[in-house]
Amino acid sequence: MKLKASLLFILLLAATVASAQESGDLKGKVVVRATRQPIDGAKISLNTPEPVTAYTTDGVFELKDVPPGTWEMTVELPDYTTVKLSAKVTGGTVTELNTVSLSPEFSANADLDNADFDTDFGDIEQDLPITLSASGDVFENIASFKFGAFRFRNRGYDNSTSQVLLNGITMNDAQSGYSPWSLWGGLNDATRNQESTTGFHISDLNIGTINGVTNINATASQIRKGFRASAVNASGQYLFRGMLTYASGINNNGWSYAFSFSTRQGGNFWVNGVDYNAWAYFVSIEKQLNAHSSLALTLLGAPTIRSIQAASTQEVYDMVNSHYYNPNWGYQNGEVRNARVRNNHEPVVMLNYVNQLHSQHKLLIGIAYRFGTNGYSTLDWYDTQDPRPDYYRYLPSYFSKNPNPANNDPVKAAWLAEGWASDWNIRQINWDALYDVNRHSYFGDENTVPGTTSTTLRSKYVVGEYHTDQQDVNATAQWIATLSHRLKLTAGVEYRWNRTEYFKQMKDLLGGEYWLDIDQFAERDFGEGDIVQSDLNNPNRIIREGDKYNYDYYSYFSSERLWATLQYHYASWEMYAAVERGHTTFHRDGLFRKGLFPNNSYGQSAEQHFGTYAIKAGATYKISGNHTLWANLALLNEAPHFQRSMVSPRTRNDFLPGLTTIKTAGIDLNYALRLPWAKMRASGYYTTIRDIANVISFYDDVHRTFANFAMSGIDQLHTGIEIGLEIPLILDITLKSALSYGYYIYTSNPTVIATADNNSRPLYGDVEQETVYWKNYKISGTPQAALDIGFDYRAPQNLFLNIDLGYFDANYISMNPTRRTDPTLATLAMAGRTDDILTMTKQERFPAAFVLNANIGKYWYIGKYMLGINLDIKNILNNTHIISGGYEQMRLRRDTSVASAITYSPFDSKYFYLFGTTYYLHTYLRF
Amino acid sequence: MKHTILIPIATLLVITFAGCEKQYIEPAAIPPALMQANMTIKELKEHYKNTPTIVNAPDAVIAGRVISTDRHGNFYRTLYIQDETGGIEIKIGKTTLYNTYRIGQEIYLKPHQLCLGAYGKMVSIGAPSTDPSYENGYIDVPLLVNSHIFCGEIKTPVTPATISSAGEITNDRMGTLVTIHNIIYQKGETQYTKAHPEIYPITTWAVKNDPDTSEDDSHYGLHTFTLNNTDIVVRTSGYAKFAETPVPFVAGDRARITGILTHYNETIQLAMNTDKDAVKN
């Protein structure tokens, strides 16, 4: 400290002395790095004792009367990376600086929240879309902001393939692999400093998988210094967002600190019954321990409550004349109440130590702890009518499209439609009626259920909450060594431990006094006795609000990974090789002894062990400064995720038979062009992923029981091209375009073992396993073709304009595997109904769609304050007929009209539609 | 450091407002319907003209108390109500009706445009049927149910009429709740339909799982009792929760059984709400 103080004193003294001398002028030019276009309105400041500031006009700036000496010059422009350099000013002369070039930090609408969809895909566990993070890459800069609305997934990969690090620590969910962006939702300013690689490419901090590595630098010293406040008014996701961020930068005493708070409130303009109540906090303090090491402590969290939209069928949308119908809500006491609410708060606290051992070696050590709760509410009911308004028996099609014509009744169908049109309590959940049922539910359990009397109300409808409460510890160390100016070595080690408790918790008894914790499906099939108990250790348990019920278990996970990369460059060549070795283990620990499986539900399951590895290599050849060619190769052998590895984790300890690692092999070829008049990146990729397992649980109409459908040996192919292009045209207008044209298919017919959830009886009887015929079917959940063409105009006086047209095609429905199995199809084949077989097996392709978007922004400098405003409008043409996703329902209609030949037909698929016009108005202030 | 003042303020805001889910006010109790009956059940049944009959009585209101429950599975999608003049089956068509229509609850029925029909000469009210095998069908549709059937006050359950001689089994008592005393158990049997049309003797109230097929085929149980040499058949659904419960009688036992009195053509039948309604005399 003493030394620092002395240094500071000397500097100040020098500055004071300098100021007494004759001053000089400083001139220079600021341009965009990629296009060399001059930049208007960049702020130039010097750290002279009396700050000197200027702004560029036509890229040129001039600072007059600068005291002689060497000063730190800062060049700032919103959405560009701030540049700091030293400038030497000699008294009495004009010093001409070299041209300063700035790189865009983010595109103009970078502040938009990454697309996330508050939607529910019903029975099917649907991957959330990949949230791309913008990088310097010309393709991803466009794709990440323009393709999101269509649930675009980069190269068709699922969400878990993209590795996300926070301060160097892997944050992907240990249980599912999913990328963790929601953990810091609303902390855009604090997490703005990101470095990404794309595709198979490695990063310095991790070797990644097949879809890039993003590292968010969010320790106090890494966040842009200064104060930033912003307010958003929007219509697409929430109504209002407020955010406040401050970062101190590194103070003279070596401390830095940063904080950020935000809130997002209100529902969107298109869907009824969805509300948003999200908050977020971020605090980081960092101490520069000495000239080369620092220690940072960071805490962040985003307590978020969001009510969810569910998909519905076209019949319902047509009936209510809206593509944004949401069956999840209804009126309670005249107030809108949604039954499906996500309520999470999972804080992350982390400690990061960085030591720049000397200029060639850097050591990073980090440890993170994630905890908290993650709930998703749902209606539960016992021996009463299905409360969901769009249950298939409540729709006109039940009386008009019944496969058994004798059940069709056009008059009833018409009356049902009339009910939907005229009565909110028919169209939506009738909460008041649910309360009314509970308030009269004297069930007479007093002889069997201790603690109840003949007048205790047993709730028939309740709101429960699925919980996935994690405790996650992740410790990691990375070493980056520049061995020579040609050779760089990085190595890392990671240990991760995770315990997640899965359980259901009683949230609201809806006017009743208790819920009895028994398995009603077991009761229906087997009657009374021990077999119906959810937990034999606590039979006939009375559940009150806050109690756990139905199921309760831990999943334990741990993994160790060790990796190293070697990067070498010589002349026009750059090469790298990377290897990783790891081990993953997980098991289940049941906390309830399930009546159906008394010997296989309570306590620990067998441990599953997986040896994992990754090998990557790549080479880059710079043909010239303007043309670069490179290729990457990746071979991965990864552990499956716990949630897709158990037959029925809620009830018992059985793992999928033959559970194995997921094998990925991929190659890409890339070409980049950097010319003054064009910038382009073109890539082709080819990836195979083998031995994916998946488990779907649903009511199986073929076997008339709740079934677990465990598939293994799912193989996929992802191949395609992606092109990003930027061409400066005239008058500061730049053409920007991105194209992703992919071909993503299943390349195997996976085997399936279907078991009754009730008794683990194999459903296919003598045949041990069946085949799902979906070889050559398309992978769903993303448009396989996406194109965006836009024009950016960076007008004088800090005005930005952007208009773009997006085109999306080859988006396929998510498939119900049972529709493509022999037991379902055989009956139709025997009946000779080939048309019906086609209906059953054909995969729907959604129509192609165009969307027009625009963005306008401007900012002003007022003294030291910078004020900006940005308006983003999506789907300007208000096209409300664009399907953005959907899935086939798991249930099938059973037609028993010919007793000797029972046949099945599919239920209508459920769809999500893209919102019509939405806007996002962002105002911000920085200083 | 002046910005640090914002930290406690913002922290306070987050602590105060974050994670608080909206609390909903519990809805007030739905007030019971209260109407003035202007037609009796007997009068309604008299509208039936031995063929499906659409009731044309725009202002008619019938009031009756609920006497059946589907809680134990022996009644399915249907409800019996009775007033001082008689009882009638309402073919509502919904399941788990006992959650909404509780035993003893006053029900108001506006029969206008509903359809009277008979099955085995037993008259019920429902919707016009599209299935030619039935004279009327289930009402089913919520809007139709809501505009014809209204829940009134929950009153004390109907006291079943006592029958102790065959002469007391009258036409007016059909569709009402009765307790028959001193009936003598004869036999129990079921008729396996589909693949097995034979008649089998049984000792449980009904058959839940057909032992001969892997499918969950359930079959009605028919248990015959006699009262003054008149046969009374206690008919129990294979879907009843007590279907597998052994009948607590052997041939010759005297019993007292409460149930809804019906007939299928000339056969007198009794349908119990629960097996607790059959006791030894």
Side-chain angles (χ1 to χ4, degrees):
Chain A
M1 280 310 265
K2 214 169 182 181
L3 180 72
K4 271 191 188 163
S6 325
L7 270 173
L8 194 68
F9 178 68
I10 292 166
L11 278 172
L12 282 171
L13 195 70
T16 320
V17 174
S19 68
Q21 296 170 0
E22 195 185 358
S23 59
D25 291 355
L26 194 62
K27 281 176 82 170
K29 191 174 182 186
V30 181
V31 298
V32 180
R33 183 164 295 166
T35 60
R36 312 306 290 180
Q37 283 176 292
I39 293 178
D40 258 1
K43 183 185 178 188
I44 319 292
S45 48
L46 291 183
N47 66 337
T48 46
E50 298 236 333
V52 184
T53 317
Y55 296 95
T56 55
T57 310
D58 288 335
V60 177
F61 67 89
E62 190 170 0
L63 293 157
K64 289 191 179 294
D65 301 328
V66 182
T70 303
W71 307 110
E72 186 182 81
M73 186 174 96
T74 308
V75 184
E76 291 174 275
L77 184 69
D79 304 314
Y80 283 80
T81 311
T82 300
V83 169
K84 289 189 182 199
L85 37 92
S86 59
K88 191 176 176 186
V89 179
T90 315
T93 58
V94 177
T95 309
E96 285 264 8
L97 287 174
N98 287 333
T99 302
V100 179
S101 63
L102 299 184
S103 302
E105 195 174 50
F106 282 98
S107 68
N109 51 0
D111 201 82
L112 288 181
D113 276 335
N114 292 312
D116 62 12
F117 295 93
D118 302 338
T119 47
D120 188 348
F121 266 78
D123 303 323
I124 298 168
E125 186 150 334
Q126 185 77 15
D127 293 337
L128 292 167
I130 281 181
T131 310
L132 294 165
S133 47
S135 61
D137 182 74
V138 55
F139 171 80
E140 295 210 358
N141 272 346
I142 303 168
S144 54
F145 295 110
K146 303 297 186 188
F147 291 168
F150 269 84
R151 301 160 192 265
F152 174 80
R153 296 199 315 222
N154 208 18
R155 299 185 178 183
Y157 300 145
D158 88 16
N159 185 291
S160 63
T161 56
S162 169
Q163 196 178 12
V164 181
L165 315 175
L166 182 65
N167 297 330
I169 302 172
T170 308
M171 297 303 292
N172 291 62
D173 194 298
Q175 299 288 326
S176 65
Y178 287 169
S179 66
W181 294 92
S182 63
L183 292 178
W184 46 84
L187 295 170
N188 307 47
D189 285 343
T191 57
R192 193 172 298 277
N193 183 349
Q194 302 178 3
E195 307 158 306
S196 318
T197 66
T198 60
F200 304 121
H201 214 280
I202 58 170
S203 91
D204 276 353
L205 298 173
N206 224 301
I207 97 165
T209 66
I210 52 173
N211 200 8
V213 182
T214 298
N215 181 39
I216 299 167
N217 292 309
T219 62
S221 69
Q222 299 296 310
I223 297 168
R224 182 205 283 258
K225 182 181 170 178
F227 184 86
R228 197 178 157 121
S230 70
V232 168
N233 169 241
S235 67
Q237 210 175 2
Y238 45 76
L239 200 61
F240 168 77
R241 188 191 78 186
M243 194 185 296
L244 208 62
T245 306
Y246 178 76
S248 69
I250 303 173
N251 290 326
N252 291 333
N253 55 12
W255 284 96
S256 46
Y257 65 91
F259 65 84
S260 182
F261 295 94
S262 85
T263 181
R264 291 166 289 167
Q265 297 291 327
N268 69 56
F269 280 21
W270 287 98
V271 181
N272 284 328
V274 292
D275 201 10
Y276 213 107
N277 174 13
W279 294 77
Y281 55 86
F282 172 93
V283 182
S284 179
I285 49 169
E286 187 168 352
K287 168 74 175 157
Q288 206 72 39
L289 300 173
N290 52 42
H292 51 260
S293 67
S294 65
L295 188 67
L297 179 69
T298 306
L299 169 73
L300 60 85
T304 301
I305 298 167
R306 292 180 305 178
S307 35
I308 305 299
Q309 178 202 2
S312 207
T313 60
Q314 194 59 45
E315 176 187 12
V316 172
Y317 292 140
D318 291 346
M319 212 162 33
V320 302
N321 200 22
S322 162
H323 286 151
Y324 308 106
Y325 169 75
N326 178 12
N328 285 346
W329 68 274
Y331 286 111
Q332 172 171 330
N333 225 8
E335 258 192 304
V336 170
R337 178 173 186 178
N338 191 313
R340 312 281 341 245
V341 178
R342 286 192 192 279
N343 185 345
N344 7 295
H345 182 198
E346 295 184 274
V348 176
V349 58
M350 56 170 60
L351 196 63
N352 291 90
Y353 172 77
V354 180
N355 193 331
Q356 188 80 44
L357 298 166
H358 51 81
S359 59
Q360 278 83 39
H361 294 273
K362 190 175 182 183
L363 178 69
L364 300 98
I365 297 173
I367 182 162
Y369 175 51
R370 166 183 173 183
F371 56 103
T373 64
N374 182 352
Y376 186 20
S377 73
T378 183
L379 273 171
D380 266 334
W381 58 98
Y382 170 77
D383 198 34
T384 183
Q385 284 176 43
D386 197 318
R388 295 170 298 179
D390 62 345
Y391 181 56
Y392 73 97
R393 285 172 182 264
Y394 306 159
L395 300 180
S397 56
Y398 185 66
F399 292 108
S400 62
K401 282 169 70 179
N402 202 300
N404 182 356
N407 292 346
N408 284 334
D409 185 336
V411 176
K412 282 184 183 172
W415 274 105
L416 267 172
E418 177 58 29
W420 271 79
S422 62
D423 189 346
W424 282 103
N425 284 331
I426 288 172
R427 190 196 282 208
Q428 304 291 158
I429 295 170
N430 185 352
W431 289 98
D432 294 359
L434 308 188
Y435 273 89
D436 188 63
V437 167
N438 288 346
R439 283 173 175 159
H440 295 94
S441 179
Y442 305 110
F443 210 72
D445 283 331
E446 58 273 19
N447 295 326
T448 48
V449 183
T452 63
T453 68
S454 59
T455 57
T456 319
L457 295 170
R458 176 173 173 181
S459 288
K460 305 303 283 290
Y461 294 103
V462 295
V463 178
E465 191 171 51
Y466 300 109
H467 268 266
T468 311
D469 292 358
Q470 304 206 8
Q471 307 244 19
D472 189 90
V473 179
N474 196 339
T476 184
Q478 293 111 340
W479 175 49
I480 303 166
T482 311
L483 301 178
S484 76
H485 70 284
R486 297 195 188 288
L487 197 62
K488 183 157 122 183
L489 175 75
T490 75
V493 61
E494 180 190 277
Y495 173 75
R496 193 160 191 194
W497 177 89
N498 181 293
R499 189 194 77 186
T500 300
E501 186 179 4
Y502 295 86
F503 60 95
K504 212 184 226 186
Q505 187 172 34
M506 186 54 67
K507 200 169 171 183
D508 194 339
L509 287 164
L510 301 179
E513 290 171 279
Y514 75 103
W515 171 265
L516 190 64
D517 193 14
I518 56 166
D519 179 340
Q520 56 179 315
F521 295 102
E523 188 186 39
R524 191 197 63 189
D525 290 356
F526 305 109
E528 304 166 329
D530 283 354
I531 200 163
V532 305
Q533 295 298 326
S534 292
D535 183 11
L536 275 175
N537 297 342
N538 294 287
N540 285 330
R541 212 156 47 97
I542 289 181
I543 304 300
R544 317 257 188 208
E545 286 171 14
D547 290 349
K548 294 171 184 174
Y549 71 108
N550 196 214
Y551 64 92
D552 187 8
Y553 66 96
Y554 288 130
S555 91
Y556 284 93
F557 164 99
S558 73
S559 74
E560 305 94 47
R561 299 195 298 135
L562 185 69
W563 68 90
T565 74
L566 197 62
Q567 297 168 58
Y568 177 75
H569 76 94
Y570 179 77
S572 299
W573 286 91
E574 278 176 29
M575 279 162 274
Y576 72 86
V579 288
E580 180 192 287
R581 191 79 177 92
H583 174 254
T584 296
T585 177
F586 50 70
H587 71 273
R588 176 186 186 271
D589 184 9
L591 301 172
F592 280 6
R593 189 184 295 280
K594 180 96 179 151
L596 284 163
F597 307 99
N599 302 318
N600 191 24
S601 52
Y602 183 73
Q604 314 246 341
S605 74
E607 280 197 358
Q608 303 292 312
H609 292 271
F610 304 93
T612 61
Y613 67 79
I615 301 168
K616 288 185 170 187
T620 305
Y621 177 63
K622 287 194 170 135
I623 303 168
S624 72
N626 299 330
H627 305 271
T628 311
L629 269 176
W630 72 101
N632 297 290
L633 188 77
L635 285 175
L636 311 174
N637 189 46
E638 298 170 285
H641 294 295
F642 176 86
Q643 275 300 302
R644 293 175 161 205
S645 300
M646 298 208 81
V647 173
S648 174
R650 286 180 186 167
T651 63
R652 58 188 184 272
N653 284 338
D654 292 340
F655 283 91
L656 256 64
L659 194 59
T660 181
T661 52
I662 299 166
K663 289 106 188 155
T664 304
I667 185 167
D668 68 12
L669 284 168
N670 312 272
Y671 167 70
L673 174 75
R674 281 167 196 280
L675 291 171
W677 53 271
K679 188 173 159 191
M680 185 190 83
R681 193 259 281 176
S683 298
Y685 54 91
Y686 187 94
T687 309
T688 61
I689 308 173
R690 289 186 298 120
D691 279 337
I692 302 169
N694 199 9
V695 181
I696 305 171
S697 299
F698 59 97
Y699 188 83
D700 180 352
D701 288 87
V702 179
H703 299 98
R704 296 158 83 190
T705 183
F706 199 77
N708 302 301
F709 203 81
M711 287 187 285
S712 51
I714 305 171
D715 297 348
Q716 300 179 354
L717 168 69
H718 298 253
T719 185
I721 52 162
E722 53 195 28
I723 298 171
L725 186 68
E726 274 185 34
I727 301 177
L729 305 170
I730 47 162
L731 298 169
D732 296 327
I733 295 173
T734 308
L735 168 77
K736 288 185 170 179
S737 179
L739 165 73
S740 172
Y741 189 85
Y743 179 68
Y744 319 134
I745 58 161
Y746 293 102
T747 53
S748 69
N749 289 326
T751 53
V752 59
I753 295 171
T755 47
D757 194 62
N758 265 344
N759 53 9
S760 71
R761 151 176 74 97
L763 290 178
Y764 293 134
D766 303 337
V767 189
E768 266 194 15
Q769 56 190 30
E770 280 290 343
T771 303
V772 178
Y773 297 104
W774 64 11
K775 190 174 179 176
N776 295 328
Y777 279 91
K778 303 294 193 299
I779 288 164
S780 65
T782 177
Q784 301 202 359
L787 172 69
D788 190 86
I789 299 175
F791 295 95
D792 266 18
Y793 176 50
R794 193 171 266 273
Q797 286 158 352
N798 308 326
L799 179 72
F800 311 85
L801 287 166
N802 167 278
I803 187 157
D804 73 279
L805 185 69
Y807 171 78
F808 303 90
D809 196 9
N811 194 359
Y812 292 88
I813 200 159
S814 175
M815 292 185 293
N816 164 3
T818 60
R819 282 170 59 170
R820 292 151 187 103
T821 56
D822 281 333
T824 306
L825 298 173
T827 49
L828 290 171
M830 277 195 296
R833 289 160 57 177
T834 41
D835 284 358
D836 292 335
I837 290 177
L838 198 67
T839 309
M840 189 68 103
T841 55
K842 192 175 187 320
Q843 185 180 20
E844 185 177 355
R845 174 179 172 155
F846 304 134
F850 284 99
V851 179
L852 186 68
N853 311 306
N855 185 292
I856 181 166
K858 182 167 169 57
Y859 60 87
W860 300 265
Y861 282 104
I862 306 159
K864 66 169 186 170
Y865 298 95
M866 194 194 90
L867 179 70
I869 188 162
N870 192 77
L871 175 67
D872 191 75
I873 304 174
K874 292 213 182 308
N875 194 359
I876 292 172
L877 303 177
N878 197 26
N879 186 341
T880 56
H881 298 277
I882 302 171
I883 296 176
S884 61
Y887 61 93
E888 294 173 354
Q889 293 199 63
M890 292 305 293
R891 295 197 63 171
L892 299 171
R893 277 183 216 274
R894 184 180 163 92
D895 178 12
T896 54
S897 54
V898 184
S900 57
I902 295 166
T903 53
Y904 305 93
S905 57
F907 272 106
D908 292 349
S909 295
K910 294 198 170 181
Y911 306 113
F912 285 109
Y913 279 85
L914 186 80
F915 292 168
T917 306
T918 58
Y919 73 91
Y920 187 91
L921 179 65
H922 180 210
T923 316
Y924 53 94
L925 179 73
R926 295 181 198 163
F927 55 90
Chain B
M1 291 297 276
K2 62 185 172 183
H3 305 299
T4 44
I5 186 68
L6 290 166
I7 299 180
I9 295 173
T11 309
L12 206 69
L13 273 174
V14 173
I15 290 171
T16 317
F17 296 108
C20 291
E21 224 170 298
K22 186 177 167 117
Q23 295 301 309
Y24 295 91
I25 301 162
E26 291 208 0
I30 297 173
L34 185 61
M35 297 182 186
Q36 193 57 53
N38 52 21
M39 185 188 270
T40 65
I41 289 174
K42 189 176 178 185
E43 286 164 0
L44 174 65
K45 282 162 125 178
E46 282 163 3
H47 277 71
Y48 178 66
K49 304 287 180 254
N50 294 320
T51 179
T53 310
I54 305 285
V55 180
N56 185 11
D59 301 319
V61 176
I62 281 150
R65 262 184 285 173
V66 176
I67 52 169
S68 69
T69 174
D70 56 357
R71 172 166 169 199
H72 307 284
N74 198 26
F75 291 91
Y76 181 63
R77 303 178 72 187
T78 199
L79 187 72
Y80 282 84
I81 61 167
Q82 83 175 70
D83 65 6
E84 305 76 42
T85 64
I88 192 166
E89 178 189 8
I90 309 173
K91 296 177 81 169
I92 294 189
K94 296 274 169 205
T95 57
T96 63
L97 289 165
Y98 73 97
N99 290 302
T100 319
Y101 308 98
R102 299 100 185 172
I103 283 196
Q105 187 161 19
E106 192 83 2
I107 298 294
Y108 301 98
L109 175 75
K110 290 184 177 174
H112 181 58
Q113 291 301 310
L114 290 179
C115 181
L116 288 163
Y119 184 71
K121 297 184 186 167
M122 184 81 193
V123 177
S124 67
I125 188 147
S129 174
T130 49
D131 185 344
S133 343
Y134 298 96
E135 290 195 353
N136 59 5
Y138 292 115
I139 302 170
D140 270 323
V141 181
L143 195 65
L144 290 178
V145 173
N146 295 348
S147 52
H148 287 101
I149 300 162
F150 305 88
C151 294
E153 209 183 325
I154 300 174
K155 298 181 172 170
T156 50
V158 169
T159 309
T162 301
I163 291 176
S164 35
S165 69
E168 288 169 310
I169 300 173
T170 60
N171 230 4
D172 284 351
R173 289 227 159 111
M174 288 298 161
T176 67
L177 191 70
V178 299
T179 302
I180 308 179
H181 293 259
N182 269 318
I183 50 177
I184 302 161
Y185 186 62
Q186 305 296 330
K187 61 179 178 182
E189 47 190 32
T190 189
Q191 191 173 5
Y192 290 3
T193 49
K194 293 182 187 170
H196 302 276
E198 306 88 3
I199 288 172
Y200 282 79
I202 53 168
T203 56
T204 55
W205 283 111
V207 178
K208 190 169 231 162
N209 295 305
D210 186 334
D212 287 350
T213 65
S214 58
E215 293 279 332
D216 296 341
D217 283 336
S218 56
H219 303 290
Y220 273 98
L222 303 168
H223 291 271
T224 309
F225 296 76
T226 51
L227 180 66
N228 314 124
N229 296 323
T230 302
D231 280 356
I232 297 165
V233 175
V234 175
R235 190 166 190 266
T236 302
S237 163
Y239 291 105
K241 286 182 181 151
F242 55 91
E244 303 277 82
T245 307
V247 175
F249 313 115
V250 293
D253 280 356
R254 284 179 181 273
R256 186 176 78 241
I257 302 183
T258 303
I260 288 159
L261 188 66
T262 64
H263 60 84
Y264 179 70
N265 295 326
E266 311 314 319
T267 309
I268 296 161
Q269 294 187 335
L270 203 59
M272 300 186 294
N273 281 319
T274 154
D275 58 330
K276 295 186 180 69
D277 289 342
V279 291
K280 275 192 182 178
N281 235 8

